[in-house]
Amino acid sequence: MKGIEREPLPGFRDFEPADCAQCNFIFNQWRSVAHTFGYEEFDGPIVEPLVLFTQKSGPEIVEQLFAFQDKGERAIALRPEMTPSLVRMVGKRLATLKRPTKWFNITEQFRYERPQKGRLRSFYQFNADIIGESSSAADAELIALAIATFQKFGLKKEHFHVRLSDRQLWVLWLKAFGVDQEQEVGALLGILDKWERRSPENIQEDLTASFKDSTKATLFLNTTEVLRKARTLDAIRECFHNCQPSSDMEALEQRLSEFKILLQELENLGVRDWVTLDLTIVRGLAYYTGFVFEVFESGDQGRALAGGGRYDHLFEKLVGQPMPAVGFAAGDVTLTDLLRKQTLFPSYQSAVDCYVVFEQTERQRALLLVQQLRAAGFSVLYSLDLQKDLGKQQKKAYADDPHYVITLTHELVSQAKTQIKGAESEQIVDLKSLLEYLKQ
Ligand code: HAM
């Protein structure tokens, strides 16, 4: 007879105990770093009104939504990211908001993507956001937090790096080509975001469709290729000077000086060496307005470990009141791959502290002891088989490899004693002093 499908749905994972232990290890490290940076933990619903995501996250996320109607005929979606929920929640208390507010969250997200290496349909994210601070000191501290989360696992400079970019510089670049309407800017940022993954012919096609002018599209393509290779502020300045005589040089200089301040702050925080200036990062989400960044495994062309940036207009667009904000999220899928590759996960221990074995005549006394030990905080197992004799229980206990096997025979119990056997010792102790013995 055919049973039910044993595998989970495509892009979803089963977490057996050893996988769960790795996942919890990641969550604990994330939580611990977030606390050291003064973030408070928040949570929200796993489903949200569909419109929360269709409004401002951009076409990529909208295409990937797990969306359906509930029994009350509401259009809802499993959350694909946390940022819109955060804005909705914080939006309720903007008038009294502590500034800056620093919140973090560790939760499961759902995106209907093609499952592939580093990308699944369900994954966990660590989100950290600073709300109510427009200074680039907030961007810098957030990048320092992103770096610290990876360092916390023992990852070093040779393992990962941050690619830092700026949407405002891209907006200036587009303006120089006569593109300044929100919708057109959004469409071109979308093309820039996918640039790396598409052939020059396809990019040319997309650009021609956007500019409705193939000569302009070619000029844009060629000059943009040069700008994408710039890795210093001077190189960016030179690109604007050489490639785009119609650029707004005053606005450019203003933005470059803000960029310089951000780089200096990263230097002050001691993390500048992890960061490469790299305008090829544009970010797929539509709501970013300023500096954006992604974290990658060094020497790997795979998917990002983390990504984020400034989104100063999202509050106004979603909840009708302006509020500066900057944030990022790191995912567990690419991180797990990297930690496994670098053997940075602690080895999995399923062993309990104690296994209590007994002659069935002493069952009542033994179970009382089990519960006393558990109440004192020890992890304890015993045989659930009402018939199993002492010899069989011992065999099972040693196979489970607990730290101690505690034996209660009729003879020992009648003398108020028990036998305790550890890896290197075997002793008879008084039952009443057993707890003290274990605590030592
Ligand atoms: P995101 O770049 O879409 O940003 O996702 C952040 C991270 O989540 C990625 O770098 C990746 O590690 C992980 N991730 C995303 N999609 C998948 C997937 N399908 N499978 C596995 N991992 C995935 C955001 O979500 C923004 N909301 C971050 C943010 C917070 N911006 C401001 N605040």
Side-chain angles (χ1 to χ4, degrees), residues 81 83 111 113 118-120 123 125 127 129 283 285 287-288 304-308 311 327-329 331 333-334:
E81 56 156 338
T83 315
R111 295 185 192 176
E113 290 203 47
R119 282 288 179 274
L120 297 175
F123 54 98
Q125 266 190 348
N127 275 264
D129 292 82
R283 303 277 298 135
L285 292 156
Y287 47 66
Y288 292 110
L305 292 159
Y311 52 101
F328 84 99
V333 179
T334 40

Side-chain angles (χ1 to χ4, degrees), residues 423-435:
E424 277 148 28
S425 64
E426 184 175 326
Q427 249 179 299
I428 304 291
V429 296
D430 287 339
L431 263 171
K432 64 175 180 338
S433 49
L434 179 65
L435 259 179

